[in-house]
Amino acid sequence: MSDYESHAGQRPAAWYENWTEGPESPWRDRPDPSAEREYRTLTYERDGRIARITFDRPDKGNAITPDTPVDLAHAVERADLDPRVHVILVSGRGKGFCGGYDLDLFAERGFASAGGSDEVTGTAVDPIAQAVNHNPWGTWDPMLDYAMMSRFNRGFASLLHANKPTVAKLHGFAVAGGTDIALYSDQIICADDTKIGYPPTRVWGIPAAGMWAHRLGDQRAKRLLFTGDCLTGKQAAEWGLAVESWPADELDARTEALVERIARMPVNQLMMAKLALNSSLLAQGVATSGMVSTVFDGISRHTREGYAFQLRSATVGFREAVRERDEPFGDHKRGQAGDQD
C-alpha cells in the first residue's frame, strides 16, 4: 500500500516534474553538475529548465574563430547531459546573432591568429598550417582544408544532434557562417528586420553546413544561393525558414514565451519527439549534403576568383573587398551590419 501511496500517479500532474524532482528521481541526493567552465567565444548559464548559450564577441559581430565550434559543442553537450535542462537557447550578444567567419583572421591575416588555443597547435586546425595551405602560390591540399572545415561543421551540428530541442534567436544579422549555426537549430525565431543569408556565394564561399535546401526546399534555397541575396526575418518566417518573426522590440519576450512553453514539456517527451522527427531529416541526406558542401566551400576559396578575393582582402582590407563584391548587387550598405562574412 505504501508504494501505491508514494507513486507519482498520486501527485497532480506529476508528469510535468523535472527528471531531478520527486522522491523516485534517479538524481535524488546527487549534486548538481559542475558550473565551472570558461569559454573564449560564448557564455553559458542555466536558467531553470532553459540552458542559455550566448555568443560573446559583440565588438566583432560574434564572428567565428577556431574556438567557436569547440566552445559551442561543449556547451551544447553540457546542456544535453544536465537533467535539469529541457531546452537550449542560442543567441548573440550585441548588434547581431553572428556575422560569419572573422575575415580579419581568415582573409586579411591568412589564418594567422594571435594567441590561439594551445590545443590546436600542431594539429590539422593549426592556423599557421592552414595559412600555408591557403597560399595562392602554393599547392592546396583539399583534405587538409576539409579536416579543418568539417570540424567547424561538426561543432555547429551539435545543435541538430543534441537530444534536446535547440532554439536560435536571431536579431540584427545572421549571415554567412552564422547561418551554418542557425540552420542547425531545431527552431529559429527572429526579429522582423534581421538580415539572414549567405553573400559569400558571390565569391569565396559555399555554405559548408549544406542545410539550406533541407530547411527551405530546392527552389528557394537556389534563389538565395544563386544570387547571394539575403532575407529579412519577416521573409524568413513567410518562407518557412523561421518558425516565428516579431518586431525587434518584442523578440525577447516572444522568445521567452516560446522556450518557456517548450520547457513545460517532460524532457523525455521532448527527446523522443526530436529524435523521431530528426530521423526523417537525416534520411534526406543531411550528412552527405554537409560533406559535399564542405568540399565545395574549400574549392570556392581556391579558384582564380577565390584567390583574387583573398589577395584583395589582404591588400585593401576585407571591408573594401566586400564592398567591391556586393556593390554590383545594390546591397552593400545593408551588408555592413555585421562587418564580417
Side-chain angles (χ1 to χ4, degrees):
M1 187 66 178
S2 59
D3 287 343
Y4 175 81
E5 291 175 350
S6 64
H7 192 281
Q10 297 298 309
R11 299 193 299 276
W15 49 86
Y16 287 129
E17 295 173 353
N18 176 258
W19 263 351
T20 62
E21 298 170 345
E24 65 279 359
S25 167
W27 288 273
R28 187 180 58 184
D29 302 325
R30 298 299 300 154
D32 292 340
S34 173
E36 296 180 9
R37 175 76 181 198
E38 293 287 333
Y39 297 100
R40 289 185 174 93
T41 63
L42 54 83
T43 61
Y44 177 96
E45 65 172 324
R46 183 187 64 84
D47 179 12
R49 296 181 173 191
I50 303 166
R52 301 179 187 275
I53 298 173
T54 309
F55 294 121
D56 194 27
R57 299 182 73 230
D59 57 323
K60 294 289 187 180
N62 297 318
I64 296 165
T65 76
D67 292 317
T68 306
V70 178
D71 287 351
L72 181 61
H74 185 280
V76 170
E77 179 71 354
R78 180 177 174 180
D80 221 20
L81 291 176
D82 189 335
R84 301 168 298 175
V85 171
H86 289 226
V87 60
I88 302 166
L89 176 64
V90 184
S91 61
R93 190 161 280 120
K95 295 182 178 180
F97 175 75
C98 177
Y101 286 84
D102 191 337
L103 288 190
D104 178 55
L105 168 64
F106 290 99
E108 282 191 22
R109 293 191 283 120
F111 293 77
S113 66
S117 308
D118 291 340
E119 293 88 348
V120 306
T121 301
T123 72
V125 294
D126 187 318
I128 301 302
Q130 287 294 335
V132 171
N133 198 40
H134 281 73
N135 181 357
W137 292 278
T139 300
W140 174 55
D141 186 331
M143 289 298 99
L144 177 55
D145 193 292
Y146 183 82
M148 173 188 66
M149 288 305 300
S150 62
R151 277 156 181 80
F152 278 92
N153 252 2
R154 195 174 302 167
F156 303 156
S158 63
L159 294 167
L160 174 65
H161 297 295
N163 292 326
K164 297 173 183 177
T166 57
V167 177
K169 178 175 72 172
L170 310 187
H171 77 287
F173 44 85
V175 293
T179 63
D180 286 341
I181 299 172
L183 268 63
Y184 272 128
S185 299
D186 298 314
Q187 303 270 273
I188 292 174
I189 182 170
C190 55
D192 289 344
D193 60 354
T194 309
K195 175 188 175 185
I196 306 170
Y198 207 95
T201 57
R202 293 169 180 172
V203 69
W204 216 61
I206 294 293
M211 290 297 293
W212 283 96
H214 296 288
R215 295 304 192 194
L216 273 181
D218 176 70
Q219 284 202 88
R220 283 179 164 171
K222 286 175 178 174
R223 168 63 183 84
L224 295 177
L225 301 187
F226 285 173
T227 61
D229 290 346
C230 291
L231 296 171
T232 65
K234 188 173 184 179
Q235 289 172 317
E238 292 169 352
W239 282 28
L241 182 67
V243 68
E244 295 180 26
S245 178
W246 299 96
D249 60 357
E250 296 182 31
L251 178 62
D252 288 346
R254 296 293 186 171
T255 301
E256 291 306 304
L258 173 62
V259 294
E260 287 172 7
R261 195 169 182 84
I262 294 172
R264 290 191 188 104
M265 295 277 286
V267 67
N268 48 23
Q269 289 290 129
L270 291 169
M271 291 170 63
M272 287 186 283
K274 175 167 179 175
L275 292 171
L277 294 170
N278 267 10
S279 67
S280 176
L281 182 62
L282 295 171
Q284 296 175 16
V286 166
T288 302
S289 299
M291 179 184 67
V292 172
S293 297
T294 300
V295 170
F296 280 128
D297 180 55
I299 293 172
S300 74
R301 287 179 272 108
H302 295 84
T303 61
R304 179 173 65 95
E305 295 83 357
Y307 281 140
F309 180 82
Q310 179 184 343
L311 287 173
R312 188 67 174 158
S313 297
T315 302
V316 300
F318 73 83
R319 287 179 178 82
E320 174 61 17
V322 168
R323 183 193 67 77
E324 294 174 3
R325 181 197 71 188
D326 292 343
E327 208 163 54
F329 292 86
D331 54 12
H332 167 61
K333 289 185 178 180
R334 188 158 184 262
Q336 290 178 312
D339 267 345
Q340 305 296 325
D341 231 332

